[in-house]
Each structure stands twice: as structure tokens, then as C-alpha cells.
């Protein structure tokens, strides 16, 4: 583990915290690897529930665009990042124990894939949700194009992908994107109580119920690999380069 991702365990509950608040908890390759280590640590038998969150005012802004710009071989780097994150998120989904996402602030891009890889999504009322890929000339990755239509339906997923629409927390709840919306300032308390309750429940039954309800995801690996291939092609195109440079101020 590194300072990029912190892992804590207490009384059956593992807490995984993405700790890049200065980068809105965006994910570069070192952070992706650190997140994978944390997920694998949470697979320990003593862990009965998992909480995933981001430090500061954001859950996760998606892939770190600045790291993409700085990569000597941009397509190769983006493909590796997308492939690594897709695998880490699948491992998170496959944990035979309940996983809670504690969401605050705007969530974008691969941050949505991380959120949707969790089983219960509790969000502060201030949260906002957007795909964001088209704004920088890129395409969905990390399982978003698999997970999002299954959460909100294909027409709504297409609207988010093609129009850049930003969903408020109440809209996200109405669409079925999140499980629960709580008042700002109460997120940690609510998630803490929920994690304790799940950790105190029948571990085997809850874990197997979760896996059964997610059993439709047998082809997610193929989708993740195709996403990685396409986004690696997209990042090398002139329009994406210009949009990413404008976004990052370079």
C-alpha cells in the first residue's frame, strides 16, 4: 500500500480510501495498483464488509488526465491504466462480501465505474454525476459501458454519454444509479452505521446473495478489454489531445 490509497480495518469492516484530494482523487497508474492491493487485502476472511470512499470533497474524478499527457507513449499508458482499473474494479465486485460506496462531490468517468462496482451506493445530497469522456474526446472505460446501462437502462446511459448531462443526487436516486441520498454532513455517520450492520449480519449468506445477484456479469471482462483498446486509440487523436490540454491547462 502507498499513501495514494489508505486501508484500515476495524471490527469486521475494511475501509479503502483514495487519498489524492489535490487531484480530486483521480486515478493514475500508481494509484490503480495501490487500489488493487487494497481490494486484495479486503478479501481477507476476517473482513465482513467494505467501504470505499475518497479523501476530501470528491469521491473520484476518474482517470488522471495529466498523467496521460505526461506519458511517453500515451496510447500504451492509457490502455494499461484502463485495463488495470477494469481488473481492479472486477475484483472489487467479486468480493464475497457487501461493498459500500460513500460518495460526495462530483463523480466522473472511471469514478462512476468504481462506484457501480460497489453494491450499496450512499451519496451526499451535494453529489453530482457525469460521464465526462466526450468533453475530452475520449470514450468510456473501466467497465462503464457495461455497468451503466445495467444500472439506469440503455436510453439513459446513452443520454449521459452523448449529451454530457450532469445528474444531481436526487436525479441519480430516481434513475436507480445510487441506493440512498443523505443530507450533506451525515454521509460518514450513515455509512458507518450501515457498514456495522452488514458486518454483523450472516457473512456467508450476504456474500453469496451479492454474488448471485451479480452473476449476469460473465462477459464484463470482454467489455473491459474492448474499452481499453478503444480509449487507447482515442487518446492519440488530435481532438482528444487538444481537449485534454485545454482541460488540464497545459
Amino acid at each position: 500500500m502507498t499513501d495514494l490509497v489508505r486501508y484500515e480495518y476495524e471490527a469486521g469492516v475494511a475501509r479503502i480510501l483514495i487519498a489524492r484530494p489535490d487531484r480530486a482523487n483521480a486515478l493514475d497508474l500508481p494509484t490503480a495498483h495501490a487500489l488493487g492491493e487494497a481490494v486484495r487485502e479486503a478479501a481477507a476472511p476476517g473482513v465482513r464488509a467494505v467501504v470505499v470512499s475518497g479523501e476530501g470533497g470528491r469521491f473520484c474524478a476518474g482517470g488522471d488526465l495529466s498523467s496521460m499527457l505526461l506519458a511517453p507513449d500515451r496510447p500504451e499508458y492509457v490502455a494499461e491504466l484502463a485495463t488495470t482499473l477494469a481488473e481492479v474494479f472486477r475484483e472489487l465486485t467479486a468480493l464475497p462480501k457487501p461493498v459500500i460506496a460513500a460518495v460526495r462531490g462530483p463523480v466522473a468517468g472511471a469514478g462512476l465505474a468504481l462506484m457501480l462496482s460497489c453494491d450499496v451506493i450512499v451519496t451526499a445530497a451535494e453529489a453530482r454525476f457525469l460521464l465526462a469522456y466526450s468533453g475530452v474526446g475520449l470514450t468510456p472505460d473501466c467497465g462503464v459501458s457495461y455497468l451503466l446501462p445495467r444500472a439506469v437502462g440503455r436510453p439513459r446511459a446513452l443520454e449521459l454519454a452523448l449529451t454530457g448531462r450532469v445528474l444531481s443526487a436526487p436525479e441519480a436516486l430516481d434513475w436507480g444509479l445510487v441506493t440512498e441520498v443523505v443530507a450533506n454532513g451525515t454521509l460518514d455517520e450513515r455509512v458507518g452505521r450501515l457498514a456495522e450492520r452488514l458486518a454483523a449480519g450472516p457473512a456467508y449468506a450476504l456474500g453469496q446473495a451479492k454474488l448471485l445477484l451479480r452473476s449476469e456479469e460473465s462477459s464484463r471482462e470482454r467489455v473491459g478489454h474492448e474499452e481499453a483498446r478503444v480509449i487507447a486509440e482515442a487518446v492519440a487523436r488530435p481532438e482528444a489531445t487538444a481537449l485534454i490540454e485545454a482541460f488540464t491547462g497545459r
Side-chain angles (χ1 to χ4, degrees):
M1 218 76 59
T2 71
D3 291 338
L4 300 172
V5 176
R6 292 202 292 273
Y7 178 92
E8 299 176 354
Y9 170 81
E10 183 179 1
V13 178
R15 297 181 181 275
I16 298 173
L17 179 74
I18 303 172
R20 299 188 77 205
D22 57 324
R23 300 295 305 156
N25 297 317
L27 303 166
D28 61 2
L29 197 52
T31 308
H33 287 304
L35 183 59
E37 290 178 21
V39 170
R40 287 184 281 277
E41 191 162 351
V47 176
R48 300 170 66 91
V50 181
V51 175
V52 178
S53 61
E55 184 175 357
R58 295 283 295 266
F59 177 70
C60 177
D64 188 332
L65 295 176
S66 294
S67 73
M68 298 177 192
L69 284 180
L70 294 172
D73 187 328
R74 196 175 300 167
E76 181 180 357
Y77 176 84
V78 171
E80 183 177 1
L81 177 62
T83 301
T84 300
L85 286 172
E87 177 59 28
V88 169
F89 294 168
R90 284 197 303 271
E91 289 180 21
L92 183 66
T93 298
L95 288 175
K97 55 202 74 181
V99 181
I100 306 167
V103 179
R104 54 170 55 86
V107 183
L112 284 175
L114 172 59
M115 183 185 84
L116 290 170
S117 297
C118 301
D119 306 309
V120 180
I121 302 167
V122 184
T123 177
E126 65 185 1
R128 298 291 182 270
F129 306 88
L130 67 156
L131 274 186
Y133 292 100
S134 62
V136 289
L138 297 180
T139 53
D141 65 345
C142 304
V144 167
S145 54
Y146 184 94
L147 293 166
L148 188 61
R150 285 163 173 76
V152 303
R154 183 176 297 167
R156 284 174 163 173
L158 285 167
E159 180 183 1
L160 291 177
L162 301 179
T163 70
R165 176 170 174 173
V166 179
L167 287 186
S168 67
E171 287 173 325
L173 181 64
D174 181 62
W175 280 29
L177 185 65
V178 304
T179 308
E180 181 180 357
V181 178
V182 299
N184 296 333
T186 67
L187 180 65
D188 292 338
E189 179 185 358
R190 171 57 181 151
V191 168
R193 292 200 312 270
L194 180 58
E196 290 173 2
R197 190 179 85 190
L198 291 173
Y204 179 81
L206 293 180
Q208 294 305 306
K210 167 250 180 83
L211 295 179
L212 287 168
L213 289 167
R214 286 188 172 276
S215 61
E216 66 178 13
E217 298 187 5
S218 58
S219 64
R220 179 173 167 183
E221 182 175 4
R222 180 186 59 79
V223 174
H225 285 304
E226 181 65 7
E227 286 177 326
R229 182 189 67 79
V230 174
I231 196 173
E233 291 182 2
V235 77
R237 297 181 66 85
E239 60 266 34
T241 297
L243 287 166
I244 293 172
E245 288 178 347
F247 184 88
T248 58
R250 294 182 180 275

